Amino acid sequence: MDNDNKLKAFLDSLSFRDLTITVELLITGYILYFYATELLSASTVMRADPSWVSGLLLKVIVISIIVSIAGRALLVFVSDDNVDKPLDERQRFIALAGLKPAYWVLQSGVCIAIFQYTAEAHGWPQGATIAVPFLALHILVVSFLLAELVGYGTQLVQAHKGASYG
């Protein structure tokens, strides 16, 4: 079986809900990749410039809106009117199952960011030793994106396992 047939067989095996979650996972992964690439490729002077950081956050927001709209349009195109159907009970339970680990990742990131901000503000040596301006903000953004990835990934795993919590 060649790669085109494998891809077609994989896509045929997915339910519309699984396909939707997969598209959202890929979009979020791309946004995280874009953010990390831009941040790591920036010079030290650029990372210290508040207007550059604001511009990066604005780019992330604009890209996420554009890519999300394009992904949604693609799903509407291939959906056969499945986009507007409400989730059934099993799908709702799977969506809820994805929230718990996602919230743990987000809460951890928020706590780390608050600690990092406090350490920077008070000059504590316990803070992160890397000198990245606005590190607490970057931790928040990355933790949000990671939480989304974990939530989508958990939903896909739960759906694949056929698990239903009730």
Side-chain angles (χ1 to χ4, degrees):
M1 186 181 271
D2 63 347
N3 288 338
D4 290 338
N5 289 336
K6 287 180 183 178
L7 179 62
K8 182 169 178 13
F10 172 72
L11 291 175
D12 288 340
S13 72
L14 292 176
S15 69
F16 180 75
R17 178 69 180 150
D18 292 345
L19 182 63
T20 303
I21 294 170
T22 303
V23 168
E24 291 171 349
L25 177 80
L26 292 173
I27 289 170
T28 305
Y30 172 75
I31 293 167
L32 179 61
Y33 172 78
F34 172 80
Y35 184 77
T37 303
E38 288 289 313
L39 189 61
L40 294 174
S41 66
S43 68
T44 307
V45 173
M46 289 172 66
R47 282 184 280 209
D49 183 14
S51 63
W52 182 84
V53 174
S54 298
L56 176 61
L57 293 175
L58 184 62
K59 282 182 196 175
V60 167
I61 291 169
V62 169
I63 287 173
S64 92
I65 290 170
I66 290 171
V67 173
S68 294
I69 290 171
R72 184 73 171 181
L74 175 67
L75 289 171
V76 167
F77 180 70
V78 300
S79 76
D80 297 333
D81 297 326
N82 287 330
V83 173
D84 294 327
K85 288 184 180 175
L87 298 178
D88 64 17
E89 187 174 331
R90 179 181 174 274
Q91 291 170 335
R92 282 185 277 156
F93 284 129
I94 289 172
L96 286 174
L99 292 179
K100 186 175 183 179
Y103 283 147
W104 277 103
V105 170
L106 184 59
Q107 288 173 346
S108 299
V110 168
C111 290
I112 292 168
I114 289 171
F115 176 79
Q116 179 60 35
Y117 177 77
T118 304
E120 287 176 7
H122 295 289
W124 297 345
Q126 294 92 351
T129 57
I130 56 173
V132 176
F134 309 107
L135 183 58
L137 175 67
H138 298 306
I139 291 170
L140 286 173
V141 172
V142 169
S143 67
F144 172 74
L145 292 171
L146 284 176
E148 289 290 308
L149 287 175
V150 166
Y152 294 140
T154 304
Q155 289 179 51
L156 285 174
V157 168
Q158 294 296 332
H160 181 70
K161 286 175 30 180
S164 179
Y165 298 98

